[in-house]
């Protein structure tokens, strides 16, 4: 049963392996270039496992400790997982002890596979989702470890390497733009961020922008429900 589930899950994770290994290496190399030991990116990938938030955490660890700001920033960056979790409630039913790891290991790519792919009839759905989740995290941890190791032996000017996080968000934005015909949420995000950038400056605009985006979405949702 487990072997069949693994063989069914593995092909779906191959494209993700390529992206995760590259991004994980960038993250590991970035952490090493900032003075962190090999174990920091490895342990963070094992226990945090939140790609974009891990990049943000680099600056949080290097700046003055501010628990409320860190909490709300993490909540805003990963708020989409609340909706992911709600949509997977039915799929995660009757998965036993695996459910805890499925919840912990859910990321954008794992959600896409587990939400869209129905395993063959002779494959256990719980084990299929488990192996999809596990393989994707293994790719991320392996990439982070490899990047940290390379950072120990390869030395060059790493100025600008943190731009990989910006590039990651740009690619995600473009993919979502192409996959849907409803561009209003994306335009709200860009507009709110630009307004808050002008008002609060580049160092303080993120949290107000996130709050403004959420407020706009709630307003549009209430307006749509009232019109129905």
């Amino acid at each position: 049963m487990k072997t069949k589930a693994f063989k069914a899950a593995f092909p779906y994770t191959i494209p993700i392996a390529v992206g995760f290994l590259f991004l994980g290496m960038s993250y590991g190399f970035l952490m090493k270039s900032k003075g962190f030991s090999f174990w920091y990116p490895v342990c963070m990938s094992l226990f945090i496992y939140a790609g974009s938030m891990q990049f943000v955490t680099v600056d949080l660890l290097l700046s003055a400790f501010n628990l409320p700001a860190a909490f709300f920033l993490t909540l805003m960056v990963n708020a989409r997982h609340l909706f992911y979790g709600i949509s997977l409630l039915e799929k995660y039913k009757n998965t036993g002890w695996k459910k805890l790891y499925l919840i912990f290991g859910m990321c954008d790519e794992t959600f896409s596979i587990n939400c869209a792919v129905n395993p063959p009839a002779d494959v256990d759905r719980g084990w299929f989702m488990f192996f999809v989740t596990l393989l994707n995290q293994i790719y991320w941890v392996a990439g982070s470890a490899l990047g940290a190791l390379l950072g120990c032996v390869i030395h060059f000017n790493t100025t600008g390497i943190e731009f990989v996080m910006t590039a990651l968000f740009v690619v995600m934005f473009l993919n979502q733009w192409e996959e849907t015909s409803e561009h209003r949420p994306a335009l709200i995000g860009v507009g709110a961020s630009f307004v808050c950038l002008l008002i609060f400056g580049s160092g303080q605009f993120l949290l107000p922008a996130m709050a403004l985006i959420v407020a706009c979405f709630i307003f549009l949702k209430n307006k749509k429900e009232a019109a129905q």
Side-chain angles (χ1 to χ4, degrees):
M1 179 173 62
K2 297 178 185 178
T3 303
K4 280 188 175 181
F6 178 85
K7 290 181 177 179
F10 179 67
Y12 289 101
T13 67
I14 293 176
I16 296 171
V18 177
F20 271 21
L21 287 172
F22 174 75
L23 286 173
M25 287 176 60
S26 301
Y27 170 69
F29 206 95
L30 173 63
M31 287 288 288
K32 189 62 182 176
S33 71
K34 296 295 185 179
F36 294 97
S37 72
F38 165 82
W39 295 108
Y40 267 86
V42 173
C43 289
M44 289 173 69
S45 295
L46 277 171
F47 299 112
I48 298 178
Y49 187 43
S52 54
M53 192 59 216
Q54 285 183 228
F55 280 95
V56 176
T57 304
V58 178
D59 288 330
L60 290 179
L61 291 173
L62 294 173
S63 59
F65 180 69
N66 187 334
L67 180 58
F71 173 80
F72 285 109
L73 178 60
T74 304
L75 178 63
M76 294 295 183
V77 171
N78 291 312
R80 65 191 184 281
H81 287 245
L82 295 172
F83 303 100
Y84 290 172
I86 292 173
S87 65
L88 287 173
L89 285 175
E90 285 297 320
K91 281 185 173 286
Y92 282 2
K93 274 186 177 179
N94 302 318
T95 54
W97 62 267
K98 296 184 288 295
K99 185 175 183 180
L100 293 175
Y101 180 67
L102 291 174
I103 294 171
F104 165 77
M106 183 175 60
C107 63
D108 296 337
E109 294 76 10
T110 298
F111 168 78
S112 299
I113 296 176
N114 287 340
C115 187
V117 176
N118 291 314
D122 61 340
V123 173
D124 182 86
R125 177 173 53 86
W127 280 110
F128 175 85
M129 294 190 296
F130 174 83
F131 283 120
V132 168
T133 306
L134 178 63
L135 286 168
N136 286 341
Q137 185 174 14
I138 288 174
Y139 302 145
W140 181 256
V141 174
S144 301
L146 184 57
L149 287 173
L150 290 176
C152 294
V153 297
I154 300 176
H155 303 283
F156 62 90
N157 188 353
T158 59
T159 301
I161 193 173
E162 61 271 14
F163 184 75
V164 69
M165 183 179 71
T166 304
L168 172 64
F169 282 117
V170 170
V171 170
M172 291 172 60
F173 176 85
L174 293 176
N175 285 340
Q176 292 176 3
W177 182 278
E178 292 176 352
E179 290 174 1
T180 180
S181 58
E182 175 57 72
H183 298 314
R184 184 162 50 179
L187 294 174
I188 289 174
V190 173
S193 299
F194 182 71
V195 169
C196 290
L197 177 64
L198 293 178
I199 296 174
F200 298 100
S202 60
Q204 303 291 332
F205 84 99
L206 189 56
L207 288 179
M210 291 288 190
L212 180 58
I213 291 170
V214 172
C216 290
F217 286 164
I218 293 174
F219 172 78
L220 290 176
K221 178 178 179 294
N222 293 336
K223 185 178 179 181
K224 182 177 180 180
E225 291 178 348
Q228 291 178 346

